[in-house]
Amino acid sequence: MKIQKIKPSDVEDLKTFIENSNSPIIISELFKDWPYVELAKDSPSHLLRKLLSIASKKLVDTLLIESKHKGLISYASEDYERFTFKKFQVPLKAVLKRLIVEKRDEHSEDIAVQSALIEQCLPSFLTQNPSPNFLSEISPRIWIGTATTVPGHYDTSHNIALNVCGKRTFYLLPPNAIPNIYVAPIDRAITGPAISLVDFEKPDLSKYPKFKNVHKDVQIAELEVGEALYIPPMWWHNVKSHERANILVNYWWENKTASELTSTESLIHAILTIRALPKYQRDAWKEVFKHYVFDRKEDVFDKTYKGILSNSQEEIRKVEDILLKRNAAK
């Protein structure tokens, strides 16, 4: 399926536009003034050397993937206990040096720096490549590595992902695809959210037959250097980077709510407390959740009501404190 492609000049308020779209959008020219993007177009190796010259001694999360797995970041056993990679914390300089000097062959391990805070590992990066105004309060993260594949997963945040170096392809599906994409156990997640076991690009339909129900719905974003992709919250994305050296910078931001609890924490609590109940009780709780959460019936109350259904931050804090104290007392 074709993804909408825009320039910032096409809309009056880009942040509001994308937040209200609820669909992926490719954004060109948003980072056109970044010198590092131009450097990547000219010479990826020069960009790597530039990053090496400004990298701090901060350790970053880094995955090493055995060559036999061809860059796939996933499970290496059917019990979900072993992975295709080993995780280390290493100086970013070490990874950059490896990418610069290594002559790769079919026996080389793949390497991937995951979600490193730019302000910590590349302190002067944003001085030279400032964030767009509407993203200036967000701390961006950088992903650096060889040709790797991140399985289909979702983020609970809004996400703008800029392809700085190399070529990267996103295969995307909407949230309602979840019954058909064979999600691995949430408590065996690889690095955060649960992942799909299906390759969205080339699915094995004999092994994962239900995927045929959504295969035609896969949206494909092939990003060139300097192009960015907006991914709405909860959209599944299977990401493949293709070159010897690939760099992505991303910005995550949340919709403001009165609670400090996360949506994922709420999901885990529901799994622990409701999932094992008999079906008739699960159905009852489904209706309760529908009433209080998904259909939001709080508008039936008098305007003087200021409790948690009015999203009062003060009242929500009170309830959170009660729950925390109750759990601490157990």
Side-chain angles (χ1 to χ4, degrees):
M1 294 181 64
K2 193 174 180 62
I3 296 178
Q4 182 181 11
K5 190 171 185 177
I6 65 170
K7 299 176 183 177
S9 58
D10 293 337
V11 296
E12 184 174 344
D13 182 338
L14 181 59
K15 184 171 184 286
T16 299
F17 178 81
I18 59 179
E19 285 185 347
N20 291 333
S21 68
N22 194 32
S23 61
I25 300 172
I26 296 174
I27 309 170
S28 60
E29 299 186 6
L30 181 59
F31 298 88
K32 65 180 180 180
D33 296 328
W34 276 24
Y36 285 15
V37 167
E38 292 306 311
L39 189 56
K41 292 177 181 178
D42 179 57
S43 171
S45 62
H46 287 172
L47 175 58
L48 291 172
R49 288 185 170 86
K50 181 63 178 178
L51 294 178
L52 179 61
S53 72
I54 66 170
S56 71
K57 296 180 180 180
K58 179 72 176 177
L59 302 181
V60 295
D61 288 338
T62 305
L63 308 184
L64 281 181
I65 307 158
E66 290 184 77
S67 59
K68 66 181 180 180
H69 298 298
K70 303 184 187 311
L72 176 63
I73 300 170
S74 190
Y75 299 99
S77 63
E78 292 187 355
D79 61 4
Y80 310 105
E81 296 289 348
R82 292 188 295 111
F83 305 136
T84 59
F85 60 88
K86 293 182 180 179
K87 186 176 181 179
F88 304 90
Q89 282 217 320
V90 300
L92 180 57
K93 284 180 180 287
V95 178
L96 293 168
K97 287 177 181 177
R98 178 168 177 164
L99 290 174
I100 291 168
V101 304
E102 185 178 78
K103 294 182 178 179
R104 298 190 57 75
D105 58 34
E106 62 183 22
H107 303 295
S108 299
E109 288 181 311
D110 283 290
I111 192 168
V113 172
Q114 298 277 285
S115 190
L117 279 168
I118 289 177
E119 61 189 19
Q120 294 180 358
C121 64
L122 296 164
S124 65
F125 184 102
L126 293 172
T127 302
Q128 301 170 62
N129 305 271
S131 299
N133 287 338
F134 75 96
L135 300 173
S136 61
E137 299 301 316
I138 302 168
S139 296
R141 296 173 178 271
I142 195 163
W143 310 67
I144 303 174
T146 54
T148 57
T149 296
V150 179
H153 65 286
Y154 64 82
D155 301 308
T156 59
S157 308
H158 298 279
N159 186 8
I160 285 182
L162 165 66
N163 190 47
V164 177
C165 183
K167 291 185 179 180
R168 198 173 299 250
T169 307
F170 288 74
Y171 300 88
L172 303 111
L173 280 168
N176 63 6
I178 190 170
N180 299 294
I181 62 174
Y182 298 86
V183 180
I186 192 170
D187 59 331
R188 296 292 186 271
I190 288 177
T191 57
I195 66 167
S196 168
L197 300 175
V198 186
D199 182 333
F200 289 7
E201 179 191 16
K202 299 175 181 177
D204 182 346
L205 295 179
S206 62
K207 188 174 183 180
Y208 306 112
K210 289 191 295 183
F211 192 79
K212 66 177 180 290
N213 296 327
V214 294
H215 195 190
K216 68 180 185 306
D217 299 322
V218 174
Q219 298 188 31
I220 303 173
E222 295 180 308
L223 299 186
E224 299 293 335
V225 173
E227 288 187 317
L229 175 67
Y230 168 69
I231 306 172
M234 309 303 291
W235 271 70
W236 294 89
H237 46 291
N238 179 188
V239 190
K240 301 186 179 186
S241 51
H242 306 289
E243 305 297 332
R244 190 181 72 83
N246 305 272
I247 301 172
L248 179 136
V249 169
N250 89 295
Y251 296 79
W252 279 313
W253 72 96
E254 302 274 1
N255 289 104
K256 296 295 184 182
T257 65
S259 175
E260 293 184 0
L261 298 175
T262 68
S263 304
T264 301
E265 288 171 332
S266 298
L267 172 62
I268 297 297
H269 280 291
I271 291 172
L272 294 175
T273 59
I274 296 175
R275 190 175 188 272
L277 293 174
K279 184 179 184 303
Y280 76 92
Q281 290 186 40
R282 296 199 308 273
D283 289 344
W285 276 110
K286 184 189 299 184
E287 294 303 317
V288 172
F289 270 75
K290 184 178 177 182
H291 177 83
Y292 283 107
V293 179
F294 300 110
D295 287 349
R296 292 183 55 165
K297 300 297 186 182
E298 70 269 24
D299 57 350
V300 303
F301 298 106
D302 186 275
K303 297 298 183 183
T304 59
Y305 168 75
K306 300 298 181 184
I308 61 171
L309 297 182
S310 68
N311 293 323
S312 163
Q313 186 163 341
E314 181 181 355
E315 293 299 319
I316 287 174
R317 288 285 186 271
K318 288 179 183 177
V319 174
E320 287 180 342
D321 288 343
I322 291 171
L323 291 175
L324 290 171
K325 289 176 182 177
R326 183 183 298 169
N327 289 334
K330 288 182 178 180

